Amino acid sequence: KSEKMRLFVFVVVLLLVVQTCFGAYCHGKPSKTAAPNTNPINMVAPRLINSTKNGKLFIAGGSNNEFLVAHVWGTPYEMGYAQGVMMKKQLMGMLPGIWKYLEEQVEEVMKKVPEFIAKIIADEGLDVALDLTYDWTVKYTGAYIYEEMKGIADASGVDYKMIRRIHQLPGLTKGSCSMFGAWGSAVKNSNTDLLQLRALDWIVDGPFQDYPAVVVYHPNEGNGHPFANVGFSGFIGSISGMSSNKMAISEIGVTYPDSTFKGESRFGIPFIFLLRDIIQFDKTIDSSINRMISAKRTCNLILGVGDGKENEFRGFAYDAMTLDIFDDKNLLPDNSTWHPRIDNVVYWGMDWLCPAYSKRLSEEITKYHGNITPENTISNIVAMTTTGNLQVSVYDLTNNAMYVSYAKASYQSGAAYAYERQFTKLDMTSLFAVTSPEEDNTHRN
């Protein structure tokens, strides 16, 4: 590579990836006009609207809060191909839309850098940066990921390289999010229940909210167990999700760390694929911990993993050099004013060092401590913390249910953010038991 090319790579990494500020605190805070979410939870089961070989497509949600629920079966390529056939229209809108959004963001970056560097970015292009990110991570990523992308591309006509590049995005823009795990004395049914929150605060001025989709995977033998990816059409990495083994994931990008975090890297497995591996392959928290320990880790994150079989939840401080494991007794940061320890609860609001959000979240959790349910998590804990602008998942892991809400799409009306809109309850036992078109044909014959 030329000297200019090497400089370009270095600058992109600095500008788009290594944006940490040790010892600083996030400046955001919950809305002053926060109000409870009084929308009734939609309890209607998803309805079938289409099917193809290895795939069925359903629609879920109320009339003004609809989202797709796609079921796919088979090999990674076959599951990708089924998505491409059933959601071709959505994929043709979503994926090029993301690419356009990314190009617009690069233009903003170019305005803030010296002119000669801006010229290099203009000459070389965003695609070069994302291809380099792929080069740095591909050997740490399961081959099945790219086989599925190839299936999506072949069926939909969307360029394969575009799909591959778009999946490098979360590693560059990690997002501010919130989570909790609550069990035992914290929840209403103290002897049995484990509840988990994953609130996604991310890009809401791009195309994501126009293409909400839950994809339920039914892999063939050797490719894991059934799991549900809560995300967007054509986006196959995991940012929210739950498995048939009653495992679920939560994630927060860390922009404001302290000395708990020791350093980031771009050379490793992208976190969206590591999280997917957890819900696709792991059966216990211990196996997920072993996966994280042995993984070539990358950027600063807080991760959460719940196991409804054992009613256990653990949080993790995660980076290239760090994997610290937390329960309610050793939770960090340990700050009695804005991040107090709460019995049988692990939680973080919006970042690692984010006093305003963490304080509000702790206050809402404390208010309902001993009686936390999916319903008051939705109506008050999430809504009053004003977290989850793009998507919210509340996992009732013991009872195998998931409550989902997405931000308002451009073609919908009502409140803008997911945390203030209607949630839909998904019966995960029923979803994981859906039969394939091929099985249906066999039974009919």
Side-chain angles (χ1 to χ4, degrees):
K1 294 183 175 68
S2 66
E3 287 300 317
K4 282 188 175 182
M5 188 63 224
R6 283 194 286 270
L7 178 59
F8 166 70
V9 173
F10 177 71
V11 169
V12 168
V13 171
L14 285 182
L15 288 175
L16 297 180
V17 180
V18 189
Q19 297 180 0
T20 58
C21 185
F22 284 81
Y25 291 83
C26 80
H27 50 76
K29 57 185 178 181
S31 171
K32 293 180 179 180
T33 61
N37 183 340
T38 59
N39 295 298
I41 295 171
N42 177 58
M43 307 293 284
V44 179
R47 66 183 188 276
L48 182 67
I49 59 173
N50 193 11
S51 64
T52 187
K53 183 179 180 181
N54 297 311
K56 286 182 176 179
L57 187 63
F58 295 74
I59 196 161
S63 60
N64 193 43
N65 301 279
E66 292 181 338
F67 57 92
L68 296 177
V69 177
H71 288 258
V72 292
W73 288 263
T75 66
Y77 180 86
E78 289 170 338
M79 293 190 292
Y81 198 92
Q83 290 176 66
V85 171
M86 294 188 297
M87 297 190 288
K88 182 174 182 177
K89 178 181 177 181
Q90 290 80 12
L91 295 168
M92 293 295 290
M94 164 83 172
L95 297 169
I98 295 176
W99 187 249
K100 180 181 178 183
Y101 178 86
L102 286 175
E103 291 182 320
E104 290 169 352
Q105 292 300 105
V106 167
E107 291 172 5
E108 291 300 311
V109 172
M110 289 170 61
K111 294 176 184 177
K112 301 175 183 179
V113 299
E115 183 176 346
F116 78 96
I117 296 175
K119 185 177 185 305
I120 295 171
I121 295 174
D123 290 345
E124 302 292 349
L126 177 64
D127 53 344
V128 174
L130 294 176
D131 284 344
L132 284 166
T133 304
Y134 165 78
D135 290 341
W136 296 336
T137 62
V138 62
K139 71 178 182 179
Y140 306 106
T141 303
Y144 76 91
I145 290 289
Y146 296 106
E147 291 170 13
E148 184 179 336
M149 289 184 195
K150 188 66 166 58
I152 291 173
D154 288 350
S156 68
V158 177
D159 180 66
Y160 166 71
K161 283 191 175 181
M162 177 187 290
I163 299 172
R164 196 183 73 188
R165 288 164 181 159
I166 284 167
H167 280 80
Q168 312 306 320
L169 170 64
L172 301 182
T173 58
K174 294 174 287 187
S176 298
C177 312
S178 301
M179 75 168 80
F180 76 64
W183 66 94
S185 65
V187 299
K188 184 174 182 178
N189 298 316
S190 60
N191 293 325
T192 60
D193 283 3
L194 171 64
L195 299 178
Q196 182 174 338
L197 167 69
R198 193 283 191 264
L200 173 61
D201 292 86
W202 203 32
I203 299 164
V204 291
D205 60 348
F208 291 96
Q209 61 267 30
D210 280 354
Y211 303 98
V214 174
V215 179
V216 184
Y217 290 83
H218 306 264
N220 66 342
E221 187 174 353
N223 281 304
H225 45 248
F227 69 100
N229 232 4
V230 184
F232 310 91
S233 299
F235 192 84
I236 70 169
S238 293
I239 49 178
S240 308
M242 180 175 171
S243 80
S244 58
N245 275 294
K246 295 186 176 182
M247 301 277 289
I249 53 170
S250 303
E251 174 270 334
I252 301 173
V254 176
T255 304
Y256 297 91
D258 59 17
S259 58
T260 305
F261 294 84
K262 302 300 190 295
E264 298 188 292
S265 171
R266 293 303 101 191
F267 298 86
I269 180 171
F271 75 85
I272 59 171
F273 300 144
L274 178 133
L275 288 173
R276 174 163 165 169
D277 284 349
I278 288 173
I279 56 172
Q280 183 168 351
F281 296 102
D282 292 340
K283 297 180 180 180
T284 65
I285 286 183
D286 284 345
S287 60
S288 70
I289 291 172
N290 290 335
R291 180 179 299 280
M292 286 185 261
I293 289 172
S294 61
K296 184 73 171 176
R297 300 184 301 275
T298 54
C299 52
N300 290 347
L301 300 166
I302 310 168
L303 301 183
V305 178
D307 181 352
K309 302 183 300 300
E310 301 295 333
N311 293 329
E312 293 184 349
F313 179 90
R314 296 291 183 270
F316 305 87
Y318 173 108
D319 68 17
M321 302 173 65
T322 303
L323 186 69
D324 290 341
I325 306 170
F326 301 104
D327 58 22
D328 58 326
K329 305 305 180 187
N330 69 339
L331 186 65
L332 294 179
D334 183 14
N335 187 296
S336 60
T337 301
W338 57 265
H339 195 242
R341 292 175 179 172
I342 303 172
D343 286 344
N344 295 156
V345 178
V346 172
Y347 72 99
W348 289 275
M350 289 295 221
D351 211 307
W352 185 257
L353 296 178
C354 198
Y357 276 103
S358 288
K359 185 173 188 293
R360 175 70 64 83
L361 183 56
S362 73
E363 291 169 346
E364 292 298 321
I365 290 171
T366 300
K367 184 186 301 183
Y368 293 95
H369 194 274
N371 191 41
I372 298 175
T373 64
E375 290 78 12
N376 58 39
T377 296
I378 291 166
S379 64
N380 286 79
I381 296 176
V382 175
M384 297 304 293
T385 306
T386 62
T387 184
N389 64 353
L390 182 56
Q391 189 269 323
V392 181
S393 296
V394 177
Y395 312 109
D396 183 350
L397 289 170
T398 306
N399 298 300
N400 217 20
M402 182 166 61
Y403 300 76
V404 177
S405 178
Y406 285 94
K408 181 177 74 71
S410 62
Y411 50 83
Q412 294 173 339
S413 60
Y417 298 138
Y419 61 77
E420 56 188 351
R421 294 177 64 79
Q422 184 181 48
F423 281 69
T424 293
K425 180 180 180 180
L426 297 174
D427 179 345
M428 302 310 293
T429 299
S430 298
L431 262 63
F432 291 131
V434 169
T435 54
S436 69
E438 289 69 29
E439 290 175 294
D440 293 342
N441 291 334
T442 299
H443 293 155
R444 280 195 293 268
N445 295 333

